[in-house]
Amino acid sequence: MIRAALIATHMLLVAGMASAQDSHAHHHPQPQQAPAKVTDPHAGHTMPALTADPHAGHTIPAPTADPHAGHTMPAPTADPHAEHTMPAPAADPHAGHVMSAPRVDPPVAGPSAAALSGPAHAADLYFNPADMAKSRAVIAHENGAMPTTALFIDKLEYSAGDGPDHGAWEVQGWTGGDINRLWLKTDGEFDLNDGVEAAGVELLYSRAVAPFWDVQAGLRQDYSRDSSDPTSLVLAVQGLAPYWWETSASVYVSTKGDVTAELEAEYDQRITQKLIVQPVIGVSLSAQDIPERQIGSGLSSIEAGLRLRYEIRKEFAPYVGVDWSRAFGQTRDWREASGSDASETRFVVGIKAWL
């Protein structure tokens, strides 16, 4: 192709030159002479070889069939929110409010030296200090140190279940002030036909050592049909533990040298203002075996109960519940040898009151 273009260009150049000579000859007659030979500008050039077609012999692939040919486009889905009206934005409830500056508490300073320079009681400056001391003693006695008395029937119930039916009681009361009190406690079991089976009485001095906590010390006298009746020294702590658990821990040292301990905790969970569920758990421990009382060393027994009571009044509430107890170690062996069960489940009904 390049070569043909070059030849065509050469022929056009030659024809143009010949036409120009004829025109000059017609207008300016000259003596005839042989025309000069025109030199080919491409004379001696070598035409490059034609480049081979890189796609020669290739077969054009047939067009791929349309995978969606014959498919029908689904109708557009209706807009579920068409014709819906967007709610107007809610008014900002705090619009126009001015934020108050944060409160800065003033520095707390102690009393000045002048405030502590006078007498402890300002009335002593104007009246006889001895007379004022007597007046303050009367006021303290009538208002702050006036003795009071209370009696609590924590448990008066009858139970039925494993073993023979029997009743039980726990009663405690105190007299005194807010700091120093004298406590009287008693507990035991009884049979409706045979009377009292076992009982104990404690007389304790109590002193408040912290908010909601008292330390107690005194004596306990036990009574039982089937064993000796020991007298024991009592050291106890009683109070309100975190999460409103009423707790008590007592250690007993008998005149025979036997050392035992009892831990008890209970909690009032109110369902309504009058309906209350009370879980109770107690643990008994002993430092040595006490065969005459069928108490083994270590963990001797565990008791757990659940009572549902209804306060007809704050001072009087009947209840129903269930108790479970289990003996361990040597205590279990002695109970089984005497014909009793090591584990018991009993249903109870009783009353709780206070005066």
Side-chain angles (χ1 to χ4, degrees):
M1 294 176 63
I2 297 174
R3 184 176 182 180
L6 292 175
I7 294 172
T9 302
H10 176 69
M11 293 177 66
L12 289 176
L13 289 175
V14 172
M17 292 176 63
S19 176
Q21 290 177 359
D22 292 342
S23 177
H24 183 74
H26 179 72
H27 293 285
H28 303 280
Q30 293 290 338
Q32 291 188 355
Q33 58 181 3
K37 186 178 181 180
V38 178
T39 304
D40 185 358
H42 297 287
H45 288 190
T46 301
M47 296 299 291
L50 295 178
T51 304
D53 186 357
H55 300 289
H58 287 191
T59 302
I60 301 299
T64 305
D66 185 359
H68 300 289
H71 288 191
T72 302
M73 295 297 290
T77 305
D79 185 0
H81 301 288
E83 299 181 359
H84 285 194
T85 303
M86 294 297 290
D92 185 0
H94 300 288
H97 288 190
V98 178
M99 296 297 292
S100 58
R103 187 183 70 178
V104 178
D105 294 330
V108 179
S112 63
L116 303 177
S117 61
H121 303 282
D124 292 350
L125 292 175
Y126 305 98
F127 303 97
N128 187 345
D131 295 339
M132 296 308 301
K134 293 179 182 179
S135 300
R136 287 191 293 272
V138 171
I139 293 175
H141 174 74
E142 294 179 349
N143 295 276
M146 182 174 59
T148 56
T149 301
L151 179 65
F152 302 93
I153 303 174
D154 292 331
K155 180 169 68 175
L156 181 59
E157 64 187 27
Y158 196 77
S159 64
D162 300 338
D165 299 348
H166 66 268
W169 79 85
E170 286 185 10
V171 180
Q172 58 182 345
W174 57 266
T175 182
D178 296 334
I179 305 300
N180 301 299
R181 293 177 179 176
L182 184 65
W183 283 79
L184 181 64
K185 302 180 181 181
T186 177
D187 60 86
E189 297 180 355
F190 63 91
D191 185 272
L192 293 180
N193 298 321
D194 298 334
V196 177
E197 299 177 349
V201 179
E202 298 180 13
L203 182 63
L204 307 173
Y205 164 74
S206 175
R207 182 173 178 83
V209 295
F212 310 112
W213 287 98
D214 297 341
V215 173
Q216 301 172 342
L219 298 174
R220 176 183 174 89
Q221 180 63 50
D222 285 289
Y223 164 78
S224 177
R225 293 179 182 177
D226 303 328
S227 65
S228 60
D229 304 331
T231 301
S232 304
L233 175 66
V234 183
L235 298 174
V237 176
Q238 179 175 298
L240 191 64
Y243 303 102
W244 301 94
W245 280 88
E246 295 184 12
T247 60
S248 62
S250 303
V251 177
Y252 304 94
V253 182
S254 72
T255 53
K256 296 181 179 181
D258 301 329
V259 179
T260 58
E262 292 184 358
L263 308 175
E264 186 173 336
E266 61 185 38
Y267 175 78
D268 284 353
Q269 176 61 60
R270 290 189 176 272
I271 300 176
T272 67
Q273 290 295 323
K274 292 182 175 292
L275 194 61
I276 301 169
V277 173
Q278 182 188 58
V280 181
I281 185 169
V283 178
S284 298
L285 307 167
S286 178
Q288 64 280 310
D289 292 337
I290 310 176
E292 63 273 17
R293 299 172 62 186
Q294 293 187 350
I295 298 177
S297 61
L299 176 62
S300 56
S301 65
I302 291 179
E303 296 183 6
L306 189 67
R307 289 167 172 76
L308 177 67
R309 73 175 186 267
Y310 182 81
E311 292 184 344
I312 299 175
R313 298 179 59 186
K314 291 292 184 182
E315 300 86 355
F316 183 81
Y319 64 83
V320 295
V322 60
D323 275 343
W324 172 86
S325 63
R326 181 175 180 82
F328 299 91
Q330 188 61 48
T331 304
R332 177 193 58 206
D333 296 340
W334 279 328
R335 287 189 182 181
E336 291 176 345
S338 64
S340 300
D341 295 330
S343 177
E344 292 184 344
T345 301
R346 308 181 67 85
F347 297 94
V348 301
V349 57
I351 60 171
K352 180 182 179 71
W354 59 273
L355 305 173

